[in-house]
């Protein structure tokens, strides 16, 4: 909810360089992006459909893809990861372990064994984190 509030409030128009990291493969948002865009467009063009909202420069999904990075933390499911890859791309996903709630060995095995291209595994495994956090 807070991520959507950041998007819909216009905050990301005022701070276009802001990057927000969300866990659990985006807390469900990547799977709702088309619906969120559709409902936002409807509310923007229909009087009384929603409380007053700031006018946005981009669609909600464009802000999500530009300003958010998601982590795998706690979601070791190849189908869910596949959908996240299609929704936001490998350069917006980082490997993470939801310790102490999930088994680190299982999370590492998941990243090692999930069907990914070498470039996807590299991006998720370290390249995205290096870029986002400015580490080498």
């Amino acid at each position: 909810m807070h991520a959507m509030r950041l998007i819909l409030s216009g905050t990301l128009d005022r701070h276009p360089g802001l990057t927000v990291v969300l866990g659990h493969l985006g807390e469900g948002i990547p799977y709702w992006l088309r619906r969120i865009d559709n409902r936002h467009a409807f509310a923007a063009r229909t009087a009384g459909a929603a409380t007053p909202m700031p006018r946005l420069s981009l669609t909600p999904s464009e802000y999500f893809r530009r300003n958010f990075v998601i982590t795998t933390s706690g979601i070791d499911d190849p189908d869910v990861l596949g959908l996240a890859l299609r929704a936001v791309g490998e350069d917006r996903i980082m490997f993470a372990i939801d310790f102490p709630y999930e088994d680190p060995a299982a999370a590492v095995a998941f990243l090692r064994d999930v069907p990914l291209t070498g470039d996807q595994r590299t991006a998720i495994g370290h390249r995205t984190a290096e870029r986002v956090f400015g580490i080498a």
Side-chain angles (χ1 to χ4, degrees):
M1 293 305 292
H2 295 299
M4 291 310 307
R5 286 181 178 154
L6 282 172
I7 291 170
L8 297 174
S9 70
T11 297
L12 301 176
D13 278 334
R14 292 186 303 277
H15 304 281
L18 180 67
T19 298
V20 178
V21 179
L22 290 179
H24 310 111
L25 283 174
E27 304 295 354
I29 295 172
Y31 320 104
W32 286 90
L33 288 174
R34 186 172 298 169
R35 174 79 172 160
I36 292 165
D37 282 351
N38 177 276
R39 295 295 77 211
H40 179 263
F42 176 80
R45 72 175 181 269
T46 306
T51 58
M53 302 181 292
R55 185 164 179 82
L56 301 178
S57 299
L58 304 173
T59 64
S61 66
E62 289 171 319
Y63 291 105
F64 193 81
R65 290 182 178 105
R66 181 187 77 186
N67 295 95
F68 289 81
V69 175
I70 63 178
T71 73
T72 60
S73 59
I75 310 293
D76 297 341
D77 182 319
D79 294 326
V80 178
L81 178 59
L83 198 125
L85 284 164
R86 290 188 300 281
V88 301
E90 69 261 16
D91 291 326
R92 306 305 286 173
I93 302 173
M94 296 186 290
F95 177 70
I97 299 172
D98 200 5
F99 182 82
Y101 306 106
E102 301 293 337
D103 176 25
V108 170
F110 170 73
L111 180 62
R112 182 190 62 232
D113 298 336
V114 68
L116 296 170
T117 67
D119 193 51
Q120 289 172 324
R121 196 174 322 279
T122 298
I124 294 168
H126 63 88
R127 187 177 66 216
T128 301
E130 290 167 353
R131 183 188 81 248
V132 169
F133 297 120
I135 56 177

